[in-house]
Amino acid sequence: MYECRIAGTGRYVPERILSNKDLEEMVDTSDEWIIQRTGIRERHIAAEDESTSDLALQAARSALEQAGLGPLDLDAIILATLTPDTYCPAGACYVQKLLGAENACAFDLSAACTGFVYGITVGSSLVRSGVHSNVLVIGAETLSRVIDYSDRNTCILFGDGAGAAVLSRAEEGSESRLLDHYLRSDGSGADLIIMPGGGSKQPASVATVEAKQHFLSMQGSDVFKFATRSMQVLIETAIERNGISISDLDLVVPHQVNSRIIDTVLRKIDLPEEKIYLNLQRYGNTSAASVPMALHEAAEEGRIEPGNLVLLVAFGAGLTWGYNLVRW
């Protein structure tokens, strides 16, 4: 077995910004209400000619550059997304073509907001087993394409973006490596966050379009409870499984979902504010892209240094939740 490390990260967001003030003109809401309820001030929206693969491509190039690798060095591309360009073929295949990664296999992974954490777990397993040497994991979303902008309960929350990480074999004796992974799911909560139309159960039809079943819907209060509970459990589980304490964690990078959820967890587990990274005020909830985007920005801002112990935690539709523990 080999050790696996994060060799490089990257992120990309579209140019267009949709602010809370803009939403005031579109739906019955206010800047003050959105900030108080979510902590979000603005989100980025893909241009009409931008698809998920376009966003993913830019994040991938950034991560490869930081890792000092080229497209031909990649053995695999994993795209975590719930908004692929097409349901067939996989969005990762478009990324592979655009990137010119001719030697890489490519596939999508669907675990909603937990997708990047799932992807890191799968990708690192490929590296650690010796099957591959360099794996690119991308979380990318164009959620604006599946949001009903007349529904104030959802349209205030979501944005578009992409984040990526290159996983490579760690050099012998290097402290930098992925230490632990933990994944869970509970299908009994599948209806809490759902886009019911378009699949084999309810194929696209005039009726599904008229019923707005191709938009994302969620049961807010139940999702809030799930997210709060799962984030606390993930942090506590990471501590218990790895024989560490809260003070040993240098930074927690959570799914950027809602500042009230995160504040609630901080109070329950006595985690200092300076040990958590938030950028949701600028981007909103970008689902599978949220953790890698935040991870990249935290590293760029000097919030993560070599040797730091970093915990990535995510939770989302499925229901799914999980973490990756990283020695930077």
Side-chain angles (χ1 to χ4, degrees), residues 51 55 60 62 82 101 107 156 180 194 222 235 241 276 282 295 315 323:
S51 63
L55 275 57
S62 175
L82 61 86
F107 60 94
I156 65 171
D180 189 28
I194 190 170
D222 289 331
I235 296 173
R241 275 169 56 105
I276 197 155
R282 297 191 296 274
L295 177 64
F315 34 86
Y323 72 68

PDB file of all heavy atoms in Angstrom, residues 51 55 60 62 82 101 107 156 180 194 222 235 241 276 282 295 315 323:
ATOM      1  N   SER A  51     -21.160  25.501 -18.973  1.00  0.00           N
ATOM      2  CA  SER A  51     -21.761  24.310 -18.384  1.00  0.00           C
ATOM      3  C   SER A  51     -20.871  23.831 -17.240  1.00  0.00           C
ATOM      4  O   SER A  51     -19.791  24.385 -16.990  1.00  0.00           O
ATOM      5  CB  SER A  51     -21.911  23.208 -19.437  1.00  0.00           C
ATOM      6  OG  SER A  51     -20.637  22.801 -19.912  1.00  0.00           O
ATOM      7  N   LEU A  55     -16.726  24.884 -16.002  1.00  0.00           N
ATOM      8  CA  LEU A  55     -16.275  25.312 -14.673  1.00  0.00           C
ATOM      9  C   LEU A  55     -15.245  24.331 -14.128  1.00  0.00           C
ATOM     10  O   LEU A  55     -14.209  24.727 -13.572  1.00  0.00           O
ATOM     11  CB  LEU A  55     -17.461  25.406 -13.725  1.00  0.00           C
ATOM     12  CG  LEU A  55     -18.275  26.706 -13.702  1.00  0.00           C
ATOM     13  CD1 LEU A  55     -18.833  27.045 -15.081  1.00  0.00           C
ATOM     14  CD2 LEU A  55     -19.429  26.614 -12.690  1.00  0.00           C
ATOM     15  N   ALA A  60      -9.691  22.383 -12.624  1.00  0.00           N
ATOM     16  CA  ALA A  60      -8.738  21.291 -12.859  1.00  0.00           C
ATOM     17  C   ALA A  60      -7.384  21.830 -13.307  1.00  0.00           C
ATOM     18  O   ALA A  60      -6.332  21.386 -12.831  1.00  0.00           O
ATOM     19  CB  ALA A  60      -9.293  20.335 -13.909  1.00  0.00           C
ATOM     20  N   SER A  62      -6.095  24.715 -12.708  1.00  0.00           N
ATOM     21  CA  SER A  62      -5.470  25.381 -11.565  1.00  0.00           C
ATOM     22  C   SER A  62      -4.825  24.367 -10.624  1.00  0.00           C
ATOM     23  O   SER A  62      -3.699  24.559 -10.154  1.00  0.00           O
ATOM     24  CB  SER A  62      -6.520  26.217 -10.820  1.00  0.00           C
ATOM     25  OG  SER A  62      -5.992  26.790  -9.655  1.00  0.00           O
ATOM     26  N   LEU A  82     -24.049  17.020  -9.126  1.00  0.00           N
ATOM     27  CA  LEU A  82     -25.452  16.633  -9.309  1.00  0.00           C
ATOM     28  C   LEU A  82     -26.042  17.371 -10.506  1.00  0.00           C
ATOM     29  O   LEU A  82     -27.219  17.215 -10.826  1.00  0.00           O
ATOM     30  CB  LEU A  82     -26.280  16.868  -8.042  1.00  0.00           C
ATOM     31  CG  LEU A  82     -26.419  18.276  -7.467  1.00  0.00           C
ATOM     32  CD1 LEU A  82     -27.571  19.037  -8.118  1.00  0.00           C
ATOM     33  CD2 LEU A  82     -26.669  18.200  -5.966  1.00  0.00           C
ATOM     34  N   ALA A 101      -6.575  14.999 -21.224  1.00  0.00           N
ATOM     35  CA  ALA A 101      -6.011  13.958 -20.346  1.00  0.00           C
ATOM     36  C   ALA A 101      -6.217  12.593 -20.990  1.00  0.00           C
ATOM     37  O   ALA A 101      -7.020  11.780 -20.518  1.00  0.00           O
ATOM     38  CB  ALA A 101      -6.668  14.028 -18.974  1.00  0.00           C
ATOM     39  N   PHE A 107     -14.994   9.283 -14.752  1.00  0.00           N
ATOM     40  CA  PHE A 107     -16.348   8.907 -14.351  1.00  0.00           C
ATOM     41  C   PHE A 107     -16.910   9.925 -13.364  1.00  0.00           C
ATOM     42  O   PHE A 107     -16.162  10.645 -12.703  1.00  0.00           O
ATOM     43  CB  PHE A 107     -16.389   7.502 -13.747  1.00  0.00           C
ATOM     44  CG  PHE A 107     -15.533   7.304 -12.514  1.00  0.00           C
ATOM     45  CD1 PHE A 107     -16.072   7.448 -11.247  1.00  0.00           C
ATOM     46  CD2 PHE A 107     -14.194   6.952 -12.632  1.00  0.00           C
ATOM     47  CE1 PHE A 107     -15.293   7.238 -10.111  1.00  0.00           C
ATOM     48  CE2 PHE A 107     -13.411   6.733 -11.505  1.00  0.00           C
ATOM     49  CZ  PHE A 107     -13.965   6.884 -10.235  1.00  0.00           C
ATOM     50  N   ILE A 156     -32.293  31.623  -2.671  1.00  0.00           N
ATOM     51  CA  ILE A 156     -31.343  32.454  -1.932  1.00  0.00           C
ATOM     52  C   ILE A 156     -30.086  31.684  -1.536  1.00  0.00           C
ATOM     53  O   ILE A 156     -29.064  32.285  -1.182  1.00  0.00           O
ATOM     54  CB  ILE A 156     -31.983  33.047  -0.663  1.00  0.00           C
ATOM     55  CG1 ILE A 156     -32.343  31.930   0.326  1.00  0.00           C
ATOM     56  CG2 ILE A 156     -33.199  33.889  -1.014  1.00  0.00           C
ATOM     57  CD1 ILE A 156     -32.780  32.420   1.688  1.00  0.00           C
ATOM     58  N   ASP A 180      -7.432   9.585   7.166  1.00  0.00           N
ATOM     59  CA  ASP A 180      -8.637   8.819   7.507  1.00  0.00           C
ATOM     60  C   ASP A 180      -9.810   9.303   6.678  1.00  0.00           C
ATOM     61  O   ASP A 180      -9.877  10.477   6.270  1.00  0.00           O
ATOM     62  CB  ASP A 180      -8.947   8.985   9.008  1.00  0.00           C
ATOM     63  CG  ASP A 180     -10.061   8.052   9.478  1.00  0.00           C
ATOM     64  OD1 ASP A 180     -10.227   6.970   8.880  1.00  0.00           O
ATOM     65  OD2 ASP A 180     -10.775   8.416  10.434  1.00  0.00           O
ATOM     66  N   ILE A 194     -34.432  16.900  -2.903  1.00  0.00           N
ATOM     67  CA  ILE A 194     -34.713  16.053  -4.061  1.00  0.00           C
ATOM     68  C   ILE A 194     -35.036  16.879  -5.302  1.00  0.00           C
ATOM     69  O   ILE A 194     -35.566  17.991  -5.211  1.00  0.00           O
ATOM     70  CB  ILE A 194     -35.887  15.089  -3.746  1.00  0.00           C
ATOM     71  CG1 ILE A 194     -36.048  14.039  -4.823  1.00  0.00           C
ATOM     72  CG2 ILE A 194     -37.185  15.872  -3.512  1.00  0.00           C
ATOM     73  CD1 ILE A 194     -37.024  12.928  -4.470  1.00  0.00           C
ATOM     74  N   ASP A 222     -36.146  20.274   8.438  1.00  0.00           N
ATOM     75  CA  ASP A 222     -35.590  18.932   8.617  1.00  0.00           C
ATOM     76  C   ASP A 222     -34.136  18.860   8.146  1.00  0.00           C
ATOM     77  O   ASP A 222     -33.307  18.180   8.759  1.00  0.00           O
ATOM     78  CB  ASP A 222     -36.422  17.900   7.846  1.00  0.00           C
ATOM     79  CG  ASP A 222     -37.788  17.674   8.476  1.00  0.00           C
ATOM     80  OD1 ASP A 222     -37.895  17.834   9.713  1.00  0.00           O
ATOM     81  OD2 ASP A 222     -38.733  17.359   7.750  1.00  0.00           O
ATOM     82  N   ILE A 235     -17.306  15.543  13.253  1.00  0.00           N
ATOM     83  CA  ILE A 235     -16.135  16.064  13.962  1.00  0.00           C
ATOM     84  C   ILE A 235     -15.820  15.189  15.174  1.00  0.00           C
ATOM     85  O   ILE A 235     -14.655  14.823  15.419  1.00  0.00           O
ATOM     86  CB  ILE A 235     -16.364  17.529  14.379  1.00  0.00           C
ATOM     87  CG1 ILE A 235     -16.511  18.409  13.133  1.00  0.00           C
ATOM     88  CG2 ILE A 235     -15.215  18.030  15.245  1.00  0.00           C
ATOM     89  CD1 ILE A 235     -16.911  19.847  13.422  1.00  0.00           C
ATOM     90  N   ARG A 241     -11.978   8.374  16.386  1.00  0.00           N
ATOM     91  CA  ARG A 241     -11.339   7.334  15.561  1.00  0.00           C
ATOM     92  C   ARG A 241      -9.828   7.510  15.465  1.00  0.00           C
ATOM     93  O   ARG A 241      -9.094   6.539  15.278  1.00  0.00           O
ATOM     94  CB  ARG A 241     -11.938   7.353  14.147  1.00  0.00           C
ATOM     95  CG  ARG A 241     -13.215   6.553  14.009  1.00  0.00           C
ATOM     96  CD  ARG A 241     -13.891   6.840  12.688  1.00  0.00           C
ATOM     97  NE  ARG A 241     -13.058   6.607  11.523  1.00  0.00           N
ATOM     98  CZ  ARG A 241     -13.184   5.558  10.693  1.00  0.00           C
ATOM     99  NH1 ARG A 241     -14.086   4.627  10.949  1.00  0.00           N
ATOM    100  NH2 ARG A 241     -12.426   5.461   9.618  1.00  0.00           N
ATOM    101  N   ILE A 276     -12.202  27.260  12.009  1.00  0.00           N
ATOM    102  CA  ILE A 276     -13.131  26.854  10.955  1.00  0.00           C
ATOM    103  C   ILE A 276     -13.040  27.854   9.818  1.00  0.00           C
ATOM    104  O   ILE A 276     -12.849  29.049  10.037  1.00  0.00           O
ATOM    105  CB  ILE A 276     -14.570  26.739  11.491  1.00  0.00           C
ATOM    106  CG1 ILE A 276     -15.438  25.932  10.538  1.00  0.00           C
ATOM    107  CG2 ILE A 276     -15.180  28.094  11.768  1.00  0.00           C
ATOM    108  CD1 ILE A 276     -16.614  25.272  11.192  1.00  0.00           C
ATOM    109  N   ARG A 282     -19.634  34.648   0.221  1.00  0.00           N
ATOM    110  CA  ARG A 282     -19.309  35.070  -1.146  1.00  0.00           C
ATOM    111  C   ARG A 282     -19.890  34.162  -2.225  1.00  0.00           C
ATOM    112  O   ARG A 282     -20.071  34.601  -3.363  1.00  0.00           O
ATOM    113  CB  ARG A 282     -17.786  35.127  -1.329  1.00  0.00           C
ATOM    114  CG  ARG A 282     -17.096  36.129  -0.442  1.00  0.00           C
ATOM    115  CD  ARG A 282     -15.638  36.333  -0.846  1.00  0.00           C
ATOM    116  NE  ARG A 282     -14.817  35.144  -0.700  1.00  0.00           N
ATOM    117  CZ  ARG A 282     -14.222  34.790   0.434  1.00  0.00           C
ATOM    118  NH1 ARG A 282     -14.399  35.521   1.529  1.00  0.00           N
ATOM    119  NH2 ARG A 282     -13.468  33.702   0.496  1.00  0.00           N
ATOM    120  N   LEU A 295     -11.354  24.776   0.579  1.00  0.00           N
ATOM    121  CA  LEU A 295     -10.024  24.237   0.875  1.00  0.00           C
ATOM    122  C   LEU A 295      -8.952  25.010   0.113  1.00  0.00           C
ATOM    123  O   LEU A 295      -7.909  25.389   0.678  1.00  0.00           O
ATOM    124  CB  LEU A 295      -9.969  22.752   0.499  1.00  0.00           C
ATOM    125  CG  LEU A 295      -8.615  22.058   0.687  1.00  0.00           C
ATOM    126  CD1 LEU A 295      -8.218  22.021   2.153  1.00  0.00           C
ATOM    127  CD2 LEU A 295      -8.667  20.640   0.103  1.00  0.00           C
ATOM    128  N   PHE A 315     -22.047  17.116   4.141  1.00  0.00           N
ATOM    129  CA  PHE A 315     -23.327  16.452   4.381  1.00  0.00           C
ATOM    130  C   PHE A 315     -24.309  16.982   3.352  1.00  0.00           C
ATOM    131  O   PHE A 315     -24.254  18.146   2.949  1.00  0.00           O
ATOM    132  CB  PHE A 315     -23.822  16.751   5.804  1.00  0.00           C
ATOM    133  CG  PHE A 315     -23.440  18.130   6.280  1.00  0.00           C
ATOM    134  CD1 PHE A 315     -24.229  19.229   5.999  1.00  0.00           C
ATOM    135  CD2 PHE A 315     -22.258  18.322   6.974  1.00  0.00           C
ATOM    136  CE1 PHE A 315     -23.859  20.501   6.405  1.00  0.00           C
ATOM    137  CE2 PHE A 315     -21.866  19.592   7.385  1.00  0.00           C
ATOM    138  CZ  PHE A 315     -22.676  20.693   7.101  1.00  0.00           C
ATOM    139  N   TYR A 323     -16.313  12.528   6.068  1.00  0.00           N
ATOM    140  CA  TYR A 323     -15.157  13.402   6.286  1.00  0.00           C
ATOM    141  C   TYR A 323     -13.896  12.800   5.674  1.00  0.00           C
ATOM    142  O   TYR A 323     -13.800  11.598   5.422  1.00  0.00           O
ATOM    143  CB  TYR A 323     -14.945  13.727   7.771  1.00  0.00           C
ATOM    144  CG  TYR A 323     -14.413  12.599   8.646  1.00  0.00           C
ATOM    145  CD1 TYR A 323     -13.103  12.101   8.490  1.00  0.00           C
ATOM    146  CD2 TYR A 323     -15.188  12.048   9.655  1.00  0.00           C
ATOM    147  CE1 TYR A 323     -12.615  11.094   9.299  1.00  0.00           C
ATOM    148  CE2 TYR A 323     -14.705  11.042  10.482  1.00  0.00           C
ATOM    149  CZ  TYR A 323     -13.409  10.568  10.299  1.00  0.00           C
ATOM    150  OH  TYR A 323     -12.922   9.566  11.097  1.00  0.00           O
TER     151      TYR A 323
END
